Amino acid sequence: MRLSYTKALNRALTDALAADPAVCVFGEDIGAGMAGPTLNLLDRFGPGRIVDTPLSEQAFTSMAIGAALTGRRPVIEFQIPSLLFLVFEQLVNQAHKFSLMTGGQAAVPLTCLVPGSGSRDGWAGQHSDHPYGLFAHAGVKTVVPATPTDAYGLLRSAIADPDPVVVFAPAAALPVRETVTWELAPIPLGSARIHRAGTDVTVVAVGHLVHDALAVAEELAPELSVEVFDPRTLYPFDWAALAASLERTGRLVVIDDSNRSCGIGAEVLATAAEEMRLVAPPRRITRPDGAVLPFAPALDRAVQPHRDQLRAALRAFGPLRPPHGEDPAR
Amino acid sequence: MLRLVRGFEELALGLVRSGEITGGIHPYIGQEAVAVGVCAALRPQDRITSTHRGHGHVLAKGADPARLLAELLGRTGGLNRGRGGSMHAADFSLGILGANGMVGAGGAIAVGAAWSARQAGEDRVAVAFFGDGALNQGVLLESLNLAAMWRLPVLFVCENNGYATTLPAATAVAGSATGRAAAFGIPAAEVDGMDTEAVRSAAAAAVERAAAGGGPGFLECRTYRFEGHHTMERLMKLHYRTPEEVADWRALDPLPRAAALLPPGLAAELDASVEQQLGAAREFALASEHPSPERALEHLYADGLRPRAGHRG
Ligand SMILES: Cc1ncc(C[n+]2csc(CCOP(=O)(O)OP(=O)(O)O)c2C)c(N)n1
Ligand SMILES: [Mg+2]
């Protein structure tokens, strides 16, 4: 079966709705399935569970929290990543805090899905953010799947999770297709995936950048052996898997399509520096500090991490595989 | 119940003054007729969301005063095991979805609870209590629209006590509270919030209508808080309202008004039983254990996920 990323999200929603009558979906234009993941859900599950909302993000997000507090398992689809800024109060100050503040009386099993986060080519400043780091910082479970199979499995787990989870589907990953010969299944949150094993450098790549990292790793294979590490869940992060990877490689590059200061890249570097084996200073490739994506295509691309930067960062570790003789780093 | 809420707040004020309750409270004294009147119109299965000034709502919906007091004291015997305090007191087993520290936040949460009940095929009404200050929160106005569009079983109760902290409602709310509700097609009534029976009967009508599928209702209860906005106000010299104004409203105190309706002798009997109940609550709460610091982040995640510590070793 050929599975697209968007179809995988659609399958995950369909299967979750079919499996549990408490699951329901809120969002804008979801009845028409405009963004893709909610296509045909209204026909199959009806307006009682597939709720086309007015453009009142704060109220319908709070409403979903009220529904989650009283036995429902709502999913909200957000049309634009920056809508999350509008509902930061609801997600961070309400949903995330209820369990602790009520002494464990309440849980908020709410999933927020952002299909198309990051740059969508030509959508400019207010439609191109990738604010996953904010949620990881706040301690809200945060998921960024890179592949259709992972998108399916992680969205299923997010919906089943008793806590709020934000799932970012990077716009640049939506065109990815996979030939799937296995049964799609939930994938636990908090477990990383090594897409390519390597022995010289670990590249932690977030979301769609996993595919760029794989391409660069292949290209540089004659020079160095790159392990491509996809955290999949940014919070909680699979630190044990990263430590194991760095035991093997001792070198780290993070490539992360979000702003630099206090970003997830910074957290990965800091944790690796504090707790893990490193034989060289780690590096990160990110958007610049305070980035606002400019409209003009060349400027938009200039602000996003790209393959040249990754190549340069990897080569900066020095010649690790000289054509003849011993590996100098060992 | 009026007596219990008043007595509870007086007891809590004493414990704030003696330093046993940290952080202070937002006293409900003066507004009791609203919480007691509305909650008297509710059925056990109905749900409420409350505010930073929430003790009255929480008690009137049936929470145990001993456990509420233990919560204010940050003890493990508290409603929230000492994790919430005054501004987050909740008892989900009684449909109390929590006091809330953010002004206006409870409105849309109650709308969600009402939607949820309808989804589950359950006959439950949700009540959102909020102040006049919340009338200017966008999310609250958005939630009026959603509740009206979807004809949800929810009752919005605006406790207009005349001030948002020091800001007079007269200088902050354009038009009127009931006019705002009416603009969304929600039946709205203005009620004497110092008269428990008037509040109860208005709430009962709205609850009955909502439960029968008639959609949301809105009550603006005109009331007044006799104490400061927050217990800290005693330490400040604020001049946002005159002593005469406070005295005028104190003359409308809902307690003597309600007591006058009781058969002779009963009021004194109720007073004595409340006093006894509160004495026991105090004893329970002060004897309840303090939570241990190693458990500071317990309950952060419903699945038991343990966050990383803020330091190593
Ligand atoms: C959204 C928000 N803004 C500001 C505050 C700070 N604050 C707490 S209570 C309060 C006044 C609220 O007034 P009102 O809604 O009338 O309730 P009352 O205190 O009169 O009961 C303010 C400004 C807050 N907690 N939440
Ligand atoms: Mg007020």
Side-chain angles (χ1 to χ4, degrees), chain B residues 31 52-53 130-134 159-165 167 169 225 229:
Chain B
Q31 302 182 202
H52 56 285
R53 199 178 304 290
F130 54 90
D132 48 288
E159 294 186 69
N160 185 348
N161 61 7
Y163 296 88
T165 314
L167 182 72
R225 57 171 162 73
H229 168 69

Side-chain angles (χ1 to χ4, degrees), chain B residues 5-21:
Chain B
V5 174
R6 173 73 53 95
F8 181 92
E9 290 296 63
E10 285 166 347
L11 173 56
L13 283 175
L15 292 168
V16 171
R17 259 177 251 132
S18 66
E20 273 143 315
I21 292 177

Side-chain angles (χ1 to χ4, degrees), chain B residues 3-313:
Chain B
R3 189 62 241 167
L4 178 73
V5 174
R6 173 73 53 95
F8 181 92
E9 290 296 63
E10 285 166 347
L11 173 56
L13 283 175
L15 292 168
V16 171
R17 259 177 251 132
S18 66
E20 273 143 315
I21 292 177
T22 54
I25 61 170
H26 297 86
Y28 195 64
I29 294 175
Q31 302 182 202
E32 294 89 346
V34 181
V36 173
V38 170
C39 290
L42 299 182
R43 300 140 328 150
Q45 73 268 29
D46 294 333
R47 294 171 168 136
I48 66 166
T49 61
S50 169
T51 69
H52 56 285
R53 199 178 304 290
H55 307 165
H57 313 135
V58 170
L59 290 171
K61 187 68 172 70
D64 177 356
R67 294 191 56 215
L68 177 60
L69 192 63
E71 188 56 37
L72 305 194
L73 288 159
R75 307 299 175 95
T76 52
L79 289 173
N80 306 27
R81 299 187 167 92
R83 271 43 172 210
S86 165
M87 278 195 282
H88 305 295
D91 189 337
F92 276 66
S93 68
L94 297 170
I96 303 166
L97 308 189
N100 205 304
M102 301 314 288
V103 169
I109 294 175
V111 171
W115 183 87
S116 187
R118 192 165 72 185
Q119 268 314 98
E122 297 167 352
D123 172 22
R124 298 178 195 256
V125 170
V127 175
F129 289 99
F130 54 90
D132 48 288
L135 286 171
N136 292 321
Q137 281 287 322
V139 64
L140 191 97
L141 298 170
E142 290 179 7
S143 74
L144 293 177
N145 182 56
L146 295 186
M149 284 303 305
W150 295 333
R151 289 181 79 79
L152 293 172
V154 54
L155 173 59
F156 295 94
V157 178
C158 175
E159 294 186 69
N160 185 348
N161 61 7
Y163 296 88
T165 314
T166 65
L167 182 72
T171 67
V173 182
S176 66
T178 51
R180 290 181 183 197
F184 293 102
I186 299 177
E190 212 183 289
V191 185
D192 177 359
M194 306 303 272
D195 181 343
T196 314
E197 182 46 33
V199 174
R200 193 205 56 76
S201 73
V207 166
E208 195 180 321
R209 213 171 52 80
F218 187 106
L219 300 180
E220 179 191 6
C221 302
R222 295 295 189 102
T223 182
Y224 203 77
R225 57 171 162 73
F226 296 167
E227 296 288 318
H229 168 69
H230 181 267
T231 41
M232 240 159 42
E233 196 176 309
R234 280 174 181 260
L235 310 172
M236 307 170 180
K237 294 242 166 345
L238 301 179
H239 299 289
Y240 62 93
R241 53 185 200 177
T242 63
E244 294 75 30
E245 183 186 291
V246 178
D248 286 350
W249 279 94
R250 277 187 180 275
L252 302 174
D253 191 329
L255 267 68
R257 262 167 105 167
L261 301 177
L262 297 176
L266 185 55
E269 219 173 279
L270 289 175
D271 283 358
S273 95
V274 162
E275 197 167 324
Q276 196 192 355
Q277 195 183 359
L278 289 173
R282 185 176 197 280
E283 210 167 298
F284 167 86
L286 287 169
S288 177
E289 272 176 53
H290 293 273
S292 76
E294 306 89 71
R295 306 177 78 165
L297 288 182
E298 204 177 29
H299 309 299
L300 180 56
Y301 296 98
D303 67 351
L305 172 70
R306 289 275 154 177
R308 288 192 294 166
H311 59 93
R312 295 193 69 198

Side-chain angles (χ1 to χ4, degrees), chain A residues 132 201-206 208-209 212-213 216 220 252-261 263-266 268-269 282-289 301-317:
Chain A
Y132 43 69
V201 185
T202 298
V203 172
V204 173
V206 177
H208 58 291
L209 293 170
D212 295 278
V216 170
L220 299 191
L252 172 64
V253 176
V254 181
I255 182 159
D256 157 29
D257 182 30
S258 67
N259 295 0
R260 195 168 183 84
S261 284
I264 193 72
V268 173
L269 258 60
R283 292 164 172 271
R284 67 196 143 129
I285 300 161
T286 64
R287 292 186 183 187
D289 273 351
R301 278 193 297 277
V303 173
Q304 294 180 63
H306 53 83
R307 292 182 188 187
D308 289 345
Q309 295 162 341
L310 181 57
R311 267 184 220 105
L314 289 169
R315 285 188 167 131
F317 286 116

